[in-house]
Amino acid sequence: MPSTPEVSVVIPTFARPALVTRAVRSALAQTVTDIEVIVVVDGPDEATGKALAEIGDPRLRVVELPGKGGAPNARNTGVREALAPWTALLDDDDEWLPTKLAVQLTLARSATVPSPIIASRLINKTPRAQFVMPRRLPEPGEPICEYLTLRRGLFHGDGFIQTSTIMAPTELLRRVPFTVGLRRQQELDWTVRAISHPDVELLIAAAPLVLWHQDEDRPRISLSSPWEAQLEWLRGIRPLITPRAYAAITMSIISSMASPTRSFRVFRLLLAEARRHGRPGVVDYLTFLQIWLLPPQLRHRVRDLILGRGRGGGRATADNPVAVGRSGADLASPVGTATEQRAGTAEIGADVRR
């Protein structure tokens, strides 16, 4: 492997050797071959180390941390280890299509600022169906925070960004590291903080370049509901987002985490928060009410009915990449970021800028 590869790939993992080897092989199979793949093992994990050693590719490096620090910390560690000018992130349970990095590097050359973030659409694969996310790309002049958070319908949003789609300058990922300890909204948090810098823009390849595997019975930390911590996080980033985005996050994603409390006090607190610091629209109010008033299972059934997500529903293929889908936001996860529940929401070279 050359001393300075074109792209460094960072994959955090722990105790999922079969999944991480699948992810690593998809990275090593890229049509862009001048890469390094850095797997950061989040604590002692003999099985994962053994599985990765069997791959036998000199472009693979394994960094084992002495103790568990969480995915953001592992990503930051991998970025510090990166040798390439570009770093692409890949979660251990996802896969890349072979041209993913090639498309993104081509798109990066059209950037008009020094530090572009290059993302893409993805194919969301669940046991029930597969479909392309996000439903749409940002519109010219649309604030990215609003693209990622505002809804146009009660049961879905439109914008979305997910870790495994992100490629960015290594320098930017070092300048704006992932927030260690943040359990949810990791991509939204990082993206909002990164694009607040004047030398950064977001470009999104319209082609789906990532396979986002969602085994719906797999335990995930993102399925927990730390709504108080999320509200504290939201208050911290308020200067970086618009009032419309602030209201949307409060009345959708944080409310979806808080609604199982069935607490009228929490209901009033979040409504007051959105009205005091945000600018709610009609859809925000309707979303807020259906989250709090409809039982979760009923909401999920209505959502699936509206979006056509029954078993055997829409499927995305190479010839027909856009199938019946969602926007990166369901009722329990209504904001367009991937650290929500992994349940779901083209043409190469298209892009949307900040």
Side-chain angles (χ1 to χ4, degrees):
M1 182 182 71
S3 58
T4 305
E6 193 169 9
V7 181
S8 296
V9 181
V10 172
I11 308 175
T13 191
F14 183 75
R16 303 205 285 193
L19 294 177
V20 73
T21 52
R22 181 182 68 184
V24 167
R25 292 185 189 280
S26 78
L28 293 173
Q30 291 292 295
T31 57
V32 175
T33 59
D34 184 10
I35 66 173
E36 64 171 352
V37 178
I38 305 168
V39 177
V40 182
V41 185
D42 192 27
D45 183 353
E46 183 177 351
T48 294
K50 181 178 179 181
L52 293 172
E54 293 174 357
I55 292 178
D57 191 308
R59 296 175 295 171
L60 173 62
R61 284 198 283 145
V62 179
V63 176
E64 184 176 289
L65 301 180
K68 289 183 65 61
N73 178 67
R75 288 191 196 104
N76 294 342
T77 299
V79 170
R80 289 193 295 270
E81 292 280 336
L83 299 176
W86 293 94
T87 293
L89 305 175
L90 177 56
D91 287 345
D92 66 356
D93 49 356
D94 298 328
E95 293 179 87
W96 286 346
L97 298 182
T99 61
K100 192 259 190 188
L101 293 181
V103 171
Q104 290 185 303
L105 287 170
T106 298
L107 187 53
R109 287 193 280 272
S110 72
T112 59
V113 298
S115 300
I117 301 167
I118 314 297
S120 77
R121 278 180 161 141
L122 55 76
I123 298 173
N124 184 2
K125 300 186 69 173
T126 79
R128 294 179 292 167
Q130 63 184 47
F131 34 85
V132 168
M133 303 167 59
R135 296 166 63 92
R136 68 173 179 91
L137 301 180
E139 297 173 355
E142 180 178 15
I144 293 300
C145 64
E146 293 186 6
Y147 165 71
L148 292 175
T149 58
L150 266 60
R151 289 182 171 210
R152 295 186 176 184
L154 290 182
F155 295 95
H156 60 79
D158 291 311
F160 188 78
I161 190 166
Q162 192 261 1
T163 316
S164 297
T165 69
I166 294 172
M167 186 184 80
T170 303
E171 181 278 330
L172 175 62
L173 284 159
R174 289 174 179 163
R175 187 187 354 152
V176 186
F178 279 79
T179 301
V180 175
L182 184 64
R183 299 179 67 186
R184 300 181 68 169
Q185 302 299 326
Q186 294 168 14
E187 300 97 327
L188 176 60
D189 172 74
W190 182 81
T191 303
V192 165
R193 289 186 293 110
I195 65 173
S196 69
H197 292 244
D199 62 332
V200 178
E201 68 179 354
L202 174 66
L203 290 79
I204 303 178
L209 303 174
V210 174
L211 300 179
W212 193 34
H213 293 282
Q214 295 200 71
D215 297 337
E216 295 176 344
D217 59 349
R218 186 188 303 160
R220 298 182 185 276
I221 192 171
S222 60
L223 296 185
S224 61
S225 299
W227 72 266
E228 298 98 331
Q230 290 298 127
L231 181 57
E232 181 180 355
W233 159 77
L234 178 61
R235 288 168 172 168
I237 67 162
R238 182 159 65 91
L240 304 180
I241 62 177
T242 66
R244 294 188 68 200
Y246 194 91
I249 297 172
T250 305
M251 300 177 81
S252 59
I253 179 59
I254 295 180
S255 290
S256 72
M257 290 188 284
S259 62
T261 65
R262 317 315 299 170
S263 167
F264 185 63
R265 179 190 65 82
V266 176
F267 174 96
R268 291 182 59 190
L269 183 153
L270 294 179
L271 180 59
E273 181 78 19
R275 290 170 60 89
R276 181 181 304 115
H277 299 299
R279 185 159 59 88
V282 173
V283 173
D284 295 312
Y285 283 111
L286 293 175
T287 297
F288 182 72
L289 290 174
Q290 59 92 359
I291 286 173
W292 280 93
L293 298 179
L294 295 182
Q297 292 305 314
L298 176 59
R299 298 200 314 262
H300 297 167
R301 287 196 297 270
V302 173
R303 174 204 63 201
D304 287 353
L305 179 64
I306 291 175
L307 298 179
R309 290 169 55 186
R311 294 188 179 276
R315 300 188 66 79
T317 67
D319 296 324
N320 179 32
V322 179
V324 175
R326 57 167 283 184
S327 67
D330 70 9
L331 292 161
S333 128
V335 176
T337 55
T339 44
E340 294 313 296
Q341 292 189 31
R342 287 195 161 206
T345 51
E347 51 233 51
I348 291 179
D351 70 278
V352 178
R353 302 171 190 273
R354 177 184 165 209

PDB file of all heavy atoms in Angstrom, residues 315-337:
ATOM      1  N   ARG A 315     -39.193  -2.706  -3.543  1.00  0.00           N
ATOM      2  CA  ARG A 315     -37.808  -3.140  -3.467  1.00  0.00           C
ATOM      3  C   ARG A 315     -36.971  -2.258  -4.376  1.00  0.00           C
ATOM      4  O   ARG A 315     -37.380  -1.898  -5.480  1.00  0.00           O
ATOM      5  CB  ARG A 315     -37.645  -4.603  -3.864  1.00  0.00           C
ATOM      6  CG  ARG A 315     -38.447  -5.539  -2.969  1.00  0.00           C
ATOM      7  CD  ARG A 315     -38.104  -6.986  -3.262  1.00  0.00           C
ATOM      8  NE  ARG A 315     -36.729  -7.285  -2.911  1.00  0.00           N
ATOM      9  CZ  ARG A 315     -36.288  -7.512  -1.690  1.00  0.00           C
ATOM     10  NH1 ARG A 315     -37.107  -7.453  -0.671  1.00  0.00           N
ATOM     11  NH2 ARG A 315     -35.022  -7.787  -1.469  1.00  0.00           N
ATOM     12  N   ALA A 316     -35.777  -1.943  -3.920  1.00  0.00           N
ATOM     13  CA  ALA A 316     -34.856  -1.169  -4.742  1.00  0.00           C
ATOM     14  C   ALA A 316     -33.883  -2.121  -5.402  1.00  0.00           C
ATOM     15  O   ALA A 316     -33.368  -3.043  -4.775  1.00  0.00           O
ATOM     16  CB  ALA A 316     -34.097  -0.164  -3.870  1.00  0.00           C
ATOM     17  N   THR A 317     -33.629  -1.912  -6.664  1.00  0.00           N
ATOM     18  CA  THR A 317     -32.673  -2.722  -7.395  1.00  0.00           C
ATOM     19  C   THR A 317     -31.742  -1.800  -8.155  1.00  0.00           C
ATOM     20  O   THR A 317     -31.930  -0.597  -8.212  1.00  0.00           O
ATOM     21  CB  THR A 317     -33.395  -3.640  -8.395  1.00  0.00           C
ATOM     22  OG1 THR A 317     -33.992  -2.810  -9.397  1.00  0.00           O
ATOM     23  CG2 THR A 317     -34.463  -4.472  -7.714  1.00  0.00           C
ATOM     24  N   ALA A 318     -30.741  -2.390  -8.782  1.00  0.00           N
ATOM     25  CA  ALA A 318     -29.811  -1.573  -9.554  1.00  0.00           C
ATOM     26  C   ALA A 318     -30.510  -0.872 -10.710  1.00  0.00           C
ATOM     27  O   ALA A 318     -30.162   0.242 -11.098  1.00  0.00           O
ATOM     28  CB  ALA A 318     -28.672  -2.446 -10.079  1.00  0.00           C
ATOM     29  N   ASP A 319     -31.508  -1.521 -11.296  1.00  0.00           N
ATOM     30  CA  ASP A 319     -32.223  -0.925 -12.415  1.00  0.00           C
ATOM     31  C   ASP A 319     -33.337  -0.003 -11.968  1.00  0.00           C
ATOM     32  O   ASP A 319     -33.771   0.874 -12.707  1.00  0.00           O
ATOM     33  CB  ASP A 319     -32.815  -2.023 -13.306  1.00  0.00           C
ATOM     34  CG  ASP A 319     -31.732  -2.875 -13.943  1.00  0.00           C
ATOM     35  OD1 ASP A 319     -30.677  -2.307 -14.277  1.00  0.00           O
ATOM     36  OD2 ASP A 319     -31.936  -4.088 -14.096  1.00  0.00           O
ATOM     37  N   ASN A 320     -33.829  -0.216 -10.756  1.00  0.00           N
ATOM     38  CA  ASN A 320     -34.934   0.582 -10.243  1.00  0.00           C
ATOM     39  C   ASN A 320     -34.624   0.982  -8.817  1.00  0.00           C
ATOM     40  O   ASN A 320     -35.158   0.418  -7.875  1.00  0.00           O
ATOM     41  CB  ASN A 320     -36.237  -0.229 -10.298  1.00  0.00           C
ATOM     42  CG  ASN A 320     -37.406   0.573  -9.752  1.00  0.00           C
ATOM     43  OD1 ASN A 320     -37.433   1.783  -9.876  1.00  0.00           O
ATOM     44  ND2 ASN A 320     -38.355  -0.114  -9.144  1.00  0.00           N
ATOM     45  N   PRO A 321     -33.690   1.933  -8.636  1.00  0.00           N
ATOM     46  CA  PRO A 321     -33.173   2.187  -7.298  1.00  0.00           C
ATOM     47  C   PRO A 321     -34.164   2.825  -6.359  1.00  0.00           C
ATOM     48  O   PRO A 321     -34.030   2.693  -5.160  1.00  0.00           O
ATOM     49  CB  PRO A 321     -31.986   3.125  -7.556  1.00  0.00           C
ATOM     50  CG  PRO A 321     -32.296   3.772  -8.850  1.00  0.00           C
ATOM     51  CD  PRO A 321     -33.045   2.756  -9.649  1.00  0.00           C
ATOM     52  N   VAL A 322     -35.160   3.535  -6.857  1.00  0.00           N
ATOM     53  CA  VAL A 322     -36.084   4.196  -5.953  1.00  0.00           C
ATOM     54  C   VAL A 322     -37.344   3.371  -5.839  1.00  0.00           C
ATOM     55  O   VAL A 322     -38.069   3.196  -6.803  1.00  0.00           O
ATOM     56  CB  VAL A 322     -36.418   5.618  -6.432  1.00  0.00           C
ATOM     57  CG1 VAL A 322     -37.390   6.274  -5.482  1.00  0.00           C
ATOM     58  CG2 VAL A 322     -35.142   6.433  -6.541  1.00  0.00           C
ATOM     59  N   ALA A 323     -37.577   2.837  -4.664  1.00  0.00           N
ATOM     60  CA  ALA A 323     -38.756   2.014  -4.436  1.00  0.00           C
ATOM     61  C   ALA A 323     -39.610   2.667  -3.370  1.00  0.00           C
ATOM     62  O   ALA A 323     -39.301   3.746  -2.888  1.00  0.00           O
ATOM     63  CB  ALA A 323     -38.335   0.610  -4.012  1.00  0.00           C
ATOM     64  N   VAL A 324     -40.699   2.004  -2.995  1.00  0.00           N
ATOM     65  CA  VAL A 324     -41.534   2.529  -1.917  1.00  0.00           C
ATOM     66  C   VAL A 324     -40.653   2.778  -0.719  1.00  0.00           C
ATOM     67  O   VAL A 324     -39.915   1.910  -0.292  1.00  0.00           O
ATOM     68  CB  VAL A 324     -42.636   1.511  -1.572  1.00  0.00           C
ATOM     69  CG1 VAL A 324     -43.427   1.994  -0.369  1.00  0.00           C
ATOM     70  CG2 VAL A 324     -43.552   1.321  -2.777  1.00  0.00           C
ATOM     71  N   GLY A 325     -40.708   3.978  -0.157  1.00  0.00           N
ATOM     72  CA  GLY A 325     -39.745   4.265   0.899  1.00  0.00           C
ATOM     73  C   GLY A 325     -40.210   5.318   1.858  1.00  0.00           C
ATOM     74  O   GLY A 325     -41.344   5.730   1.840  1.00  0.00           O
ATOM     75  N   ARG A 326     -39.268   5.734   2.686  1.00  0.00           N
ATOM     76  CA  ARG A 326     -39.504   6.753   3.680  1.00  0.00           C
ATOM     77  C   ARG A 326     -38.365   7.720   3.659  1.00  0.00           C
ATOM     78  O   ARG A 326     -37.432   7.554   2.921  1.00  0.00           O
ATOM     79  CB  ARG A 326     -39.621   6.129   5.048  1.00  0.00           C
ATOM     80  CG  ARG A 326     -38.388   5.343   5.387  1.00  0.00           C
ATOM     81  CD  ARG A 326     -38.349   4.977   6.807  1.00  0.00           C
ATOM     82  NE  ARG A 326     -37.968   6.137   7.567  1.00  0.00           N
ATOM     83  CZ  ARG A 326     -37.769   6.135   8.849  1.00  0.00           C
ATOM     84  NH1 ARG A 326     -37.904   5.047   9.512  1.00  0.00           N
ATOM     85  NH2 ARG A 326     -37.445   7.218   9.493  1.00  0.00           N
ATOM     86  N   SER A 327     -38.414   8.694   4.477  1.00  0.00           N
ATOM     87  CA  SER A 327     -37.482   9.791   4.376  1.00  0.00           C
ATOM     88  C   SER A 327     -36.394   9.771   5.403  1.00  0.00           C
ATOM     89  O   SER A 327     -35.696  10.730   5.565  1.00  0.00           O
ATOM     90  CB  SER A 327     -38.240  11.069   4.581  1.00  0.00           C
ATOM     91  OG  SER A 327     -38.689  11.087   5.893  1.00  0.00           O
ATOM     92  N   GLY A 328     -36.252   8.778   6.164  1.00  0.00           N
ATOM     93  CA  GLY A 328     -35.292   8.866   7.242  1.00  0.00           C
ATOM     94  C   GLY A 328     -35.988   9.210   8.518  1.00  0.00           C
ATOM     95  O   GLY A 328     -35.384   9.632   9.474  1.00  0.00           O
ATOM     96  N   ALA A 329     -37.282   9.045   8.567  1.00  0.00           N
ATOM     97  CA  ALA A 329     -37.987   9.413   9.756  1.00  0.00           C
ATOM     98  C   ALA A 329     -39.267   8.633   9.838  1.00  0.00           C
ATOM     99  O   ALA A 329     -40.126   8.780   9.023  1.00  0.00           O
ATOM    100  CB  ALA A 329     -38.309  10.881   9.718  1.00  0.00           C
ATOM    101  N   ASP A 330     -39.372   7.758  10.801  1.00  0.00           N
ATOM    102  CA  ASP A 330     -40.683   7.176  11.035  1.00  0.00           C
ATOM    103  C   ASP A 330     -41.213   7.757  12.334  1.00  0.00           C
ATOM    104  O   ASP A 330     -40.664   8.678  12.889  1.00  0.00           O
ATOM    105  CB  ASP A 330     -40.642   5.639  11.058  1.00  0.00           C
ATOM    106  CG  ASP A 330     -39.950   5.061  12.269  1.00  0.00           C
ATOM    107  OD1 ASP A 330     -39.626   5.790  13.225  1.00  0.00           O
ATOM    108  OD2 ASP A 330     -39.722   3.863  12.252  1.00  0.00           O
ATOM    109  N   LEU A 331     -42.286   7.193  12.816  1.00  0.00           N
ATOM    110  CA  LEU A 331     -42.935   7.848  13.948  1.00  0.00           C
ATOM    111  C   LEU A 331     -42.107   7.816  15.206  1.00  0.00           C
ATOM    112  O   LEU A 331     -42.235   8.682  16.061  1.00  0.00           O
ATOM    113  CB  LEU A 331     -44.291   7.191  14.185  1.00  0.00           C
ATOM    114  CG  LEU A 331     -45.227   7.490  13.029  1.00  0.00           C
ATOM    115  CD1 LEU A 331     -46.362   6.521  13.011  1.00  0.00           C
ATOM    116  CD2 LEU A 331     -45.719   8.904  13.125  1.00  0.00           C
ATOM    117  N   ALA A 332     -41.301   6.781  15.341  1.00  0.00           N
ATOM    118  CA  ALA A 332     -40.450   6.753  16.519  1.00  0.00           C
ATOM    119  C   ALA A 332     -39.098   7.370  16.221  1.00  0.00           C
ATOM    120  O   ALA A 332     -38.260   7.467  17.077  1.00  0.00           O
ATOM    121  CB  ALA A 332     -40.262   5.320  16.992  1.00  0.00           C
ATOM    122  N   SER A 333     -38.882   7.782  14.992  1.00  0.00           N
ATOM    123  CA  SER A 333     -37.597   8.319  14.602  1.00  0.00           C
ATOM    124  C   SER A 333     -37.780   9.324  13.495  1.00  0.00           C
ATOM    125  O   SER A 333     -37.399   9.105  12.375  1.00  0.00           O
ATOM    126  CB  SER A 333     -36.714   7.161  14.193  1.00  0.00           C
ATOM    127  OG  SER A 333     -36.121   7.277  12.996  1.00  0.00           O
ATOM    128  N   PRO A 334     -38.419  10.454  13.790  1.00  0.00           N
ATOM    129  CA  PRO A 334     -38.879  11.320  12.732  1.00  0.00           C
ATOM    130  C   PRO A 334     -37.880  12.310  12.175  1.00  0.00           C
ATOM    131  O   PRO A 334     -38.244  13.140  11.388  1.00  0.00           O
ATOM    132  CB  PRO A 334     -40.045  12.065  13.373  1.00  0.00           C
ATOM    133  CG  PRO A 334     -39.801  12.022  14.816  1.00  0.00           C
ATOM    134  CD  PRO A 334     -38.890  10.874  15.091  1.00  0.00           C
ATOM    135  N   VAL A 335     -36.638  12.257  12.557  1.00  0.00           N
ATOM    136  CA  VAL A 335     -35.680  13.202  12.027  1.00  0.00           C
ATOM    137  C   VAL A 335     -34.701  12.468  11.139  1.00  0.00           C
ATOM    138  O   VAL A 335     -34.361  11.325  11.386  1.00  0.00           O
ATOM    139  CB  VAL A 335     -34.935  13.920  13.171  1.00  0.00           C
ATOM    140  CG1 VAL A 335     -33.866  14.832  12.617  1.00  0.00           C
ATOM    141  CG2 VAL A 335     -35.917  14.720  13.997  1.00  0.00           C
ATOM    142  N   GLY A 336     -34.204  13.152  10.111  1.00  0.00           N
ATOM    143  CA  GLY A 336     -33.414  12.486   9.100  1.00  0.00           C
ATOM    144  C   GLY A 336     -31.987  12.221   9.473  1.00  0.00           C
ATOM    145  O   GLY A 336     -31.078  12.687   8.818  1.00  0.00           O
ATOM    146  N   THR A 337     -31.727  11.455  10.499  1.00  0.00           N
ATOM    147  CA  THR A 337     -30.391  11.012  10.822  1.00  0.00           C
ATOM    148  C   THR A 337     -30.433   9.559  11.227  1.00  0.00           C
ATOM    149  O   THR A 337     -31.437   9.028  11.647  1.00  0.00           O
ATOM    150  CB  THR A 337     -29.789  11.822  11.980  1.00  0.00           C
ATOM    151  OG1 THR A 337     -30.659  11.768  13.085  1.00  0.00           O
ATOM    152  CG2 THR A 337     -29.572  13.257  11.579  1.00  0.00           C
TER     153      THR A 337
END
